[in-house]
């Protein structure tokens, strides 16, 4: 019988309480050992709700011998410090997206993990949903011909002004929070050998707004397939992509965060009309957790080039965006595309 991985959670983050901790229940491959919060009452509240030990302070959780792995859903600007400390304490790490807010830090952490024989994974969950494999199958069967372009959008309505997403010091902003999804889906279908051709970021209306609230980017593969990516914290809610081919196209709505009971729909349009395929529901949260736990069991601690490539593309989008003046961010086109140094199959 496999032994359950004993998991600790750094913080009582909304995503932990709402999506991840409920998904741990009834799994034979994991046991929730402890939840840590800066606030003892919150630690107790969350621990009581999910039946585990309550710990005050993240460091104390990392000192525990009954924790094999930690889940890190802290604000992005704190990921580097706490992932590094968790790895130094000998824990495997599932870190929320974005893994860090710097390519250098992400690369360093992947090497730190590999050197210790520890698993480090970035928690983009949607690639673990079966609907995208179904789209890949349709494409490889030639259903839409040769892929010409991809458009992907992830926008959500404005959040509470106190939200971590509006705090620059915590790694806030639409690019870090949402932009990574369209980038990840472009990598999933087109591969990681992408170049950022153009990008734009927009801040809020006030001149001193600290973070980007929306943006666009245009990426290109070496053989000329374009990806147009849109992301924003200023709504409406849209979570979708469309892949256009030489003979038709494929559209997926509810692409990035479908609930486990949602029957996904894929629309395939060709000259003869549209066909709607309805798939069985799938649980991307459980699947993503399962993949992390399987990697631990199988000792799969190879450095993850994919998360470094992801961070490079996100950083390149920010660099290309070149904010020019408050509230107006022009599209910029580089003189020459930079060389791509990391490649993985997506
Ligand atoms: N994969 C997904 O589908 C998904 C969805 C949503 C969010 N996320 C990611 O999950 C992470 C957390 O997002 P969230 O929406 O859950 O955020 P959140 O509810 O604000 O939680 C962040 C937690 O970090 C802790 N924290 C430590 N220092 C803090 C500080 N200076 N200010 C604020 N909080 C601090 C707090 O926990 P304590 O008070 O308990 O210490 C807080 O509850 C982000 O990386 C985000 O991108 C992923």
């Amino acid at each position: 019988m496999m032994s359950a991985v004993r998991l600790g959670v750094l913080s009582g983050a909304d995503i932990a309480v709402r999506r991840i901790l409920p998904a741990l229940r009834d799994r034979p491959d994991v046991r929730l050992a402890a939840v840590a919060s800066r606030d003892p009452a919150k630690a107790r509240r969350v621990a009581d709700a999910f039946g585990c030990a309550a710990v005050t302070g993240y460091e104390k959780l990392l000192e525990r011998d009954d924790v094999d792995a930690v889940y890190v859903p802290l604000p992005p600007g704190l990921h580097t410090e706490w992932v590094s400390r968790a790895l130094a304490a000998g824990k495997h790490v599932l870190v929320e997206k974005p893994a860090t807010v710097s390519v250098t830090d992400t690369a360093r952490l992947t090497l730190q993990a590999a050197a210790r024989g520890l698993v480090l994974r970035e928690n983009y969950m949607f690639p673990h949903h079966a609907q995208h494999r179904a789209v890949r199958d349709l494409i490889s069967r030639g259903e839409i011909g040769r892929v010409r372009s991809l458009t992907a959008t992830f926008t959500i309505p404005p959040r509470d002004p106190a939200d971590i997403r509006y705090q620059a010091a915590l790694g806030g902003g639409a690019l870090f929070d949402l932009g990574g999804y369209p980038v990840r889906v472009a990598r999933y279908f087109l591969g990681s050998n992408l170049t950022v051709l153009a990008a734009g970021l927009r801040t809020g209306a006030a001149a001193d707004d600290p973070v980007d609230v929306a943006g666009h980017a245009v990426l290109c593969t070496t053989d000329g397939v374009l990806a147009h990516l849109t992301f924003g914290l200023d709504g409406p809610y849209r979570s979708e992509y469309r892949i256009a081919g030489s003979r038709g196209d494929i559209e997926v709505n509810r692409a990035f965060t479908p609930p486990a009971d949602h029957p996904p729909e894929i629309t395939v349009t060709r000259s003869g009309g549209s066909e709607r395929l309805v798939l069985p529901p799938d649980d991307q949260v459980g699947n993503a957790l399962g993949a992390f736990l399987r990697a631990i069991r199988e000792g799969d601690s190879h450095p993850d080039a994919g998360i470094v490539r992801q961070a490079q593309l996100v950083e390149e989008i920010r660099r290309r965006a070149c904010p020019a003046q408050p509230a107006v961010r022009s599209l910029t086109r580089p003189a020459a595309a930079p060389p791509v140094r990391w490649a993985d199959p997506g």
Side-chain angles (χ1 to χ4, degrees):
M1 206 180 80
M2 69 184 161
S3 61
V5 172
R6 298 166 304 173
L7 189 73
V9 178
L10 296 193
S11 90
D14 175 66
I15 183 67
V17 172
R18 212 165 33 80
R19 301 293 297 265
I20 305 298
L21 295 181
L24 299 177
R25 287 190 175 122
D26 304 327
R27 289 189 73 102
D29 52 357
V30 62
R31 185 175 67 72
L32 181 61
V35 172
S37 171
R38 298 166 301 169
D39 169 2
K42 184 175 171 191
R44 172 52 52 208
R45 205 166 53 244
V46 178
D48 285 351
F50 292 96
C52 66
V55 178
T56 304
Y58 310 142
E59 186 58 41
K60 284 271 172 285
L61 187 142
L62 297 182
E63 289 167 5
R64 289 177 74 105
D65 292 334
D66 65 348
V67 170
D68 307 310
V70 291
Y71 167 57
V72 181
L74 294 169
L78 304 183
H79 288 181
T80 296
E81 175 187 354
W82 287 103
V83 171
S84 182
R85 290 172 80 156
L87 293 170
K91 315 295 185 195
H92 304 283
V93 176
L94 179 63
V95 60
E96 265 305 343
K97 39 60 57 176
T100 78
V101 293
S102 124
V103 175
T104 311
D105 286 359
T106 299
R108 191 173 55 72
L109 292 175
T110 62
L111 296 178
Q112 186 185 349
R116 295 282 312 252
L118 295 167
V119 174
L120 170 62
R121 292 285 184 274
E122 180 181 45
N123 200 34
Y124 277 106
M125 296 189 279
F126 79 85
H128 298 274
H129 195 292
Q131 64 177 336
H132 313 296
R133 276 201 308 281
V135 173
R136 266 185 177 166
D137 289 347
L138 289 167
I139 293 170
S140 29
R141 289 208 305 269
E143 297 286 341
I144 58 166
R146 228 180 129 73
V147 170
R148 301 280 199 229
S149 66
L150 172 148
T151 56
T153 300
F154 198 6
T155 57
I156 63 171
R159 315 266 301 187
D160 185 297
D163 194 283
I164 58 169
R165 288 156 185 79
Y166 299 113
Q167 300 184 48
L170 296 179
L175 175 58
F176 283 140
D177 189 50
L178 300 165
Y181 288 84
V183 169
R184 184 70 190 85
V185 87
R187 290 182 46 234
Y188 184 92
F189 286 109
L190 306 181
S192 287
N193 207 356
L194 291 161
T195 299
V196 180
L197 296 182
L201 292 176
R202 179 164 55 75
T203 59
D208 60 352
D209 273 349
V211 297
D212 50 293
V213 294
H216 294 263
V218 179
L219 281 61
C220 186
T221 67
T222 45
D223 48 0
V225 179
L226 288 176
H228 184 187
L229 315 180
T230 302
F231 43 91
L233 286 162
D234 53 0
Y237 185 83
R238 285 178 67 200
S239 165
E240 63 203 27
Y241 62 82
R242 175 171 172 272
I243 300 173
S246 53
R247 294 201 307 114
D249 61 50
I250 297 177
E251 269 183 77
V252 174
N253 296 306
R254 311 282 311 253
F256 300 122
T257 58
D261 59 357
H262 170 69
E265 289 178 15
I266 297 173
T267 306
V268 184
T269 304
R270 297 184 209 85
S271 52
S274 285
E275 186 187 355
R276 204 166 54 104
L277 310 171
V278 181
L279 305 181
D282 194 24
D283 175 12
Q284 64 183 36
V285 179
N287 294 345
L289 278 168
F292 172 63
L293 297 165
R294 196 162 51 249
I296 294 173
R297 269 200 319 280
E298 294 173 357
D300 179 7
S301 59
H302 70 278
D304 186 347
I307 71 173
V308 179
R309 185 65 190 135
Q310 173 80 18
Q312 283 180 324
L313 288 169
V314 167
E315 198 160 290
E316 187 60 16
I317 288 171
R318 186 174 303 286
R319 205 175 68 74
R320 290 276 181 253
C322 290
Q325 52 183 301
V328 179
R329 304 292 182 256
S330 59
L331 286 176
T332 59
R333 194 184 162 89
V340 174
R341 294 187 192 83
W342 289 77
D344 76 322

